[in-house]
Amino acid sequence: MKVDYHLHLEEGPYSLRWLNRTNIALNHFDSIHEKQHTREWLNKSMERLMLRIQKGAYDPSWIDLYLQEAKRKGLSEVGIVDHLYRFKETRSYFEKYLDLSSSEIGMKQQIWLDQVMTESMEDFVKAINEAKQRWAAEGVTLRLGIEADYFPDSDEELKDLLSCYEWDYVIGSVHYMYGWGFDNPDTQEKFHQYHLEELYHDFFQVIEKAIRSKIFHFVAHLDNLKVFNYRPDESLLLSHYEKIAKALVETNTATEINAGLFYRYPVKEMCPSPQFLDILIKEGVTFTTSSDSHFPDDIGSYVDENTKTLLKKGITEIATFEKRNRIMKTLG
Ligand SMILES: [Zn+2]
Ligand SMILES: [Zn+2]
């Protein structure tokens, strides 16, 4: 079977770029007949976008576009996992661990947090649980997950935040180093402040801590620090790769092949990198496959390619998740 266990619903910042991307997604499913860039075309587009925004992030009509595309791409199981920082309930957690100081980066991050933290966890859980039945009737299994940012020593607070709902699985992610969101294009100049080898050393330590916290059913995009192409020679990273592989095996934690950086970021490479993937496979790590899509037309992106890669390397089973249990299913 083919699965996509890592995708997101609507997410800010709500820029005009976001509006344009939303329009592209809507058009993918129902293209406007008026000639492009005419006044009539713009009127129709604006009407439709207005409706989309009014209905909100968790409207069934938006969630079911993901279903429509999942069916078209032959996905059997899908996991939706909004980011923890989307939810107002988590504000104090992010205020504690992010740099929101009056420094330039701190101010940018404060603005960003206010732009993206707009929803409630309860609404998200309710919307996905209701969608499960609709999806099952169409032959696609939908799972409820969440992508949780891990910070060193945030274990207890994170467990508390996650304890209120019956997740099918929890993804652990590292998107921040020393309180800095390194995958935000607006703050990427900060890479120049660091010695890359040291930065990667510290990063993999946080990843290892996340794995060993045993909070997560899988740990996502294990080498996403490469997002903007700041990476030392990979031969210097192999010992880190080995350490991460061992931690995953010892804690029986899975990971993913995630296509997000491949089709949406400058590095244009899957996570993990080919060398990292080989080490993980050699050590016997368990995988799932992910598009890390943020729009319904991107669901399942590169899942076929990554499924083939795993099969070629001798992997025959894929990790799926239900009620916090990992269930291995036949791949392909
Ligand atoms: Zn992520
Ligand atoms: Zn994600």
Side-chain angles (χ1 to χ4, degrees):
M1 66 157 59
K2 276 192 321 191
V3 305
D4 187 347
Y5 258 90
H6 183 158
L7 52 101
H8 302 273
L9 298 175
E10 177 190 307
E11 181 169 322
Y14 293 97
S15 61
L16 292 176
R17 190 173 151 263
W18 175 87
L19 201 63
N20 187 46
R21 182 63 187 83
T22 300
N23 195 42
I24 290 169
L26 290 170
N27 225 41
H28 175 82
F29 295 98
D30 180 17
S31 65
I32 288 175
H33 298 301
E34 279 72 11
K35 278 210 182 92
Q36 221 188 7
H37 300 171
T38 58
R39 179 164 272 276
E40 293 73 24
W41 171 85
L42 188 63
N43 269 331
K44 281 258 160 115
S45 303
M46 297 284 279
E47 243 172 63
R48 196 165 65 170
L49 285 165
M50 198 50 149
L51 210 64
R52 165 84 283 282
I53 293 161
Q54 280 166 354
K55 284 180 170 175
Y58 302 133
D59 190 74
S61 64
W62 185 244
I63 296 176
D64 289 355
L65 292 182
Y66 288 77
L67 166 64
Q68 211 175 306
E69 191 69 3
K71 280 170 68 181
R72 201 179 70 77
K73 289 182 176 152
L75 297 169
S76 323
E77 295 198 18
V78 167
I80 297 184
V81 293
D82 270 6
H83 285 112
L84 199 63
Y85 56 67
R86 285 287 282 151
F87 307 121
K88 294 172 194 159
E89 296 92 324
T90 69
R91 182 165 279 274
S92 60
Y93 180 73
F94 286 95
E95 282 178 348
K96 178 168 176 187
Y97 291 106
L98 296 198
D99 175 0
L100 303 174
S101 68
S102 54
S103 69
E104 203 189 326
I105 297 275
M107 286 195 294
K108 279 183 182 171
Q109 296 197 149
Q110 180 69 67
I111 290 169
W112 171 84
L113 192 64
D114 293 338
Q115 288 166 338
V116 296
M117 189 174 273
T118 54
E119 305 304 316
S120 100
M121 210 186 274
E122 191 181 348
D123 291 345
F124 171 62
V125 169
K126 195 164 162 268
I128 301 302
N129 282 336
E130 283 173 6
K132 281 182 176 180
Q133 276 195 335
R134 295 196 306 275
W135 286 46
E138 300 281 330
V140 181
T141 301
L142 175 62
R143 300 293 186 212
L144 168 67
I146 187 157
E147 181 173 4
D149 289 289
Y150 180 83
F151 301 95
D153 306 316
S154 68
D155 303 36
E156 292 312 312
E157 289 152 289
L158 190 52
K159 278 185 207 162
D160 269 0
L161 278 176
L162 296 167
S163 66
C164 302
Y165 298 101
E166 283 297 314
W167 310 104
D168 287 311
Y169 63 109
V170 177
I171 301 183
S173 285
V174 177
H175 303 109
Y176 303 92
M177 283 301 292
Y178 332 110
W180 156 56
F182 59 76
D183 61 354
N184 181 348
D186 292 340
T187 65
Q188 64 167 299
E189 71 274 7
K190 207 168 161 74
F191 272 101
H192 296 290
Q193 288 179 17
Y194 296 105
H195 183 272
L196 282 183
E197 261 179 82
E198 284 168 18
L199 181 63
Y200 273 74
H201 170 270
D202 290 358
F203 169 77
F204 282 117
Q205 271 197 331
V206 183
I207 293 274
E208 188 178 358
K209 271 194 133 188
I211 296 164
R212 294 198 184 276
S213 75
K214 294 200 178 180
I215 298 172
F216 309 113
H217 300 90
F218 76 83
V219 174
H221 42 60
L222 293 173
D223 55 353
N224 56 327
L225 188 61
K226 67 189 178 188
V227 53
F228 297 117
N229 265 321
Y230 297 93
R231 179 165 55 182
D233 190 292
E234 235 190 325
S235 63
L236 301 168
L237 300 177
L238 301 182
S239 62
H240 297 304
Y241 295 173
E242 296 280 356
K243 220 168 53 167
I244 296 303
K246 287 202 170 66
L248 288 166
V249 171
E250 281 167 24
T251 56
N252 196 23
T253 308
T255 188
E256 59 178 359
I257 302 195
N258 181 319
L261 295 196
F262 178 72
Y263 69 94
R264 289 195 282 111
Y265 284 92
V267 70
K268 293 191 174 25
E269 186 177 273
M270 303 290 174
C271 288
S273 72
Q275 278 198 71
F276 199 174
L277 180 66
D278 283 344
I279 289 173
L280 294 166
I281 289 177
K282 188 183 81 211
E283 294 293 333
V285 171
T286 301
F287 287 89
T288 192
T289 43
S290 305
S291 66
D292 211 339
S293 153
H294 285 60
F295 287 92
D297 47 326
D298 274 342
I299 184 177
S301 289
Y302 300 96
V303 162
D304 275 336
E305 289 79 351
N306 288 329
T307 297
K308 273 188 209 131
T309 301
L310 287 172
L311 285 168
K312 225 168 40 198
K313 291 179 184 290
I315 303 286
T316 55
E317 288 191 318
I318 192 93
T320 69
F321 303 90
E322 182 180 11
K323 294 186 177 142
R324 292 179 174 263
N325 289 314
R326 184 169 86 204
I327 304 159
M328 299 305 292
K329 303 224 171 117
T330 305
L331 179 64

